[in-house]
Amino acid sequence: MKNLIQDNYEKGIDVSKWQGNVKWNEIKNEGVKHAFIKMTEGGTYTDPQFVANWNAAKKAGMNVGAYHYFRGASSTPKEQAENIRKNLDSIPFDTKRDLFAIDVEKSSNESVSPDVMADNLQDLLTQIKRDILPNFNVIIYCSPDYWDSGVNYKKYDFSVHRLWVANWNVEKPRLPKSWDKPGTSWFWWQYSSKGHVSGIQGAVDLDWIKTPSTPNRCCSIL
C-alpha cells in the first residue's frame, strides 16, 4: 500500500507559526511540492508567520494554499469572513492556481452544538463564495471522528466542497459522512501529525495530494 500511495500521489505539508522559521528551499529539494499555510483563526487572529511563509514558499516554487481555522461560535461568520478577506488581500492570491481551506476541528469548538457548527460553517462558506472568492472551490479540512459527531452534516450538502481529510496512522483514510458516498473522495489526506522533513525543526503534518495526473482527481477511491 505504501508504494502504491507514493507512486500515485504527491507530497505535501501544512504549517503554522509552530514550525518556526521554515526553510522552504530545503523542503522543496526533499520532493515536497505542496503546502497549506495557516492564515487566520476566528474573527481577529492572523498567524504571525503567514505572509513570510506564503512569500517564501511561493519563491521556492511550491504549490501553496492558505487555511482558516473555523470558530463555531466565538466569532460570527461575518467577522470571520472579514478576517479572511483582509488577509487574502495581503498576499497575491491567485484564484486559478492557489488553494483555500476551512479547518473544522473540535479544539476551541467543544461547547458548540452540531447544529450551530453546521449553520455557521455554511454561512461562512456562502459569504466566501459570494463576497470574497466568487465561483471558487473552497476546501474543507476535517477528521471523520469529529465531523460525523460534531457537525450536523445532514443539514447542508458539504460534499460540494473538496475534502482535506485528517486520518492518521492508517493505510487508507476513512471518509467523513458527507463524502462517504459513491463518486466522492478526498483531495488532500493529512496522514501524520508527527512527520519530519528537511527545513523544519521538530514535527510537521504530512499530506498526500491528488494531482491533475491522478485519474479522476476528486473522485477516485484509494
Side-chain angles (χ1 to χ4, degrees):
M1 180 64 72
K2 183 176 181 180
N3 289 336
L4 177 64
I5 292 172
Q6 291 175 341
D7 290 344
N8 286 279
Y9 307 114
E10 294 185 347
K11 294 179 180 180
I13 60 172
D14 53 278
V15 304
S16 68
K17 69 175 185 178
W18 301 112
Q19 277 67 51
N21 183 22
V22 178
K23 298 178 181 178
W24 289 100
N25 285 320
E26 291 186 24
I27 292 171
K28 182 69 180 296
N29 290 338
E30 195 168 300
V32 179
K33 298 181 179 180
H34 306 266
F36 257 114
I37 299 169
K38 184 171 184 178
M39 182 180 75
T40 44
E41 181 171 337
T44 59
Y45 180 80
T46 299
D47 189 290
Q49 292 291 108
F50 170 64
V51 172
N53 272 330
W54 181 275
N55 291 335
K58 281 282 189 178
K59 187 176 181 179
M62 303 284 291
N63 299 308
V64 186
Y67 75 87
H68 169 82
Y69 194 101
F70 177 68
R71 291 296 193 98
S74 59
S75 300
T76 67
K78 183 176 181 180
E79 291 168 340
Q80 294 184 71
E82 176 57 24
N83 195 22
I84 290 167
R85 183 202 61 76
K86 178 180 66 176
N87 281 277
L88 285 178
D89 284 347
S90 72
I91 57 170
F93 188 87
D94 184 346
T95 57
K96 295 181 179 180
R97 179 182 177 88
D98 302 329
L99 302 176
F100 182 73
I102 301 295
D103 181 347
V104 183
E105 297 185 40
K106 181 177 181 179
S107 179
S108 301
N109 292 313
E110 293 89 346
S111 63
V112 186
S113 72
D115 278 346
V116 171
M117 284 294 293
D119 290 341
N120 286 345
L121 176 59
Q122 179 65 17
D123 190 351
L124 177 59
L125 291 165
T126 299
Q127 291 188 54
I128 292 171
K129 186 172 185 178
R130 184 188 65 210
D131 303 329
I132 302 171
L133 296 171
N135 301 314
F136 184 86
N137 193 343
V138 175
I139 297 163
I140 293 177
Y141 166 100
C142 60
S143 70
D145 286 342
Y146 177 66
W147 184 265
D148 293 353
S149 62
V151 180
N152 187 349
Y153 59 87
K154 295 180 181 179
K155 296 190 76 173
Y156 306 97
D157 184 10
F158 291 108
S159 71
V160 299
H161 300 277
R162 286 182 290 180
L163 171 65
W164 176 12
V165 61
N167 202 192
W168 305 334
N169 307 316
V170 295
E171 289 191 348
K172 175 181 177 180
R174 182 166 69 86
L175 299 179
K177 291 293 186 181
S178 294
W179 295 270
D180 186 14
K181 55 188 178 182
T184 307
S185 186
W186 56 271
F187 173 40
W188 275 54
W189 169 20
Q190 185 188 85
Y191 66 91
S192 176
S193 64
K194 298 179 180 179
H196 294 276
V197 297
S198 297
I200 294 178
Q201 293 186 351
V204 65
D205 296 332
L206 301 179
D207 303 89
W208 291 116
I209 294 90
K210 292 183 178 179
T211 68
S213 61
T214 303
N216 301 320
R217 70 181 280 186
C218 295
C219 301
S220 58
I221 305 296
L222 181 65

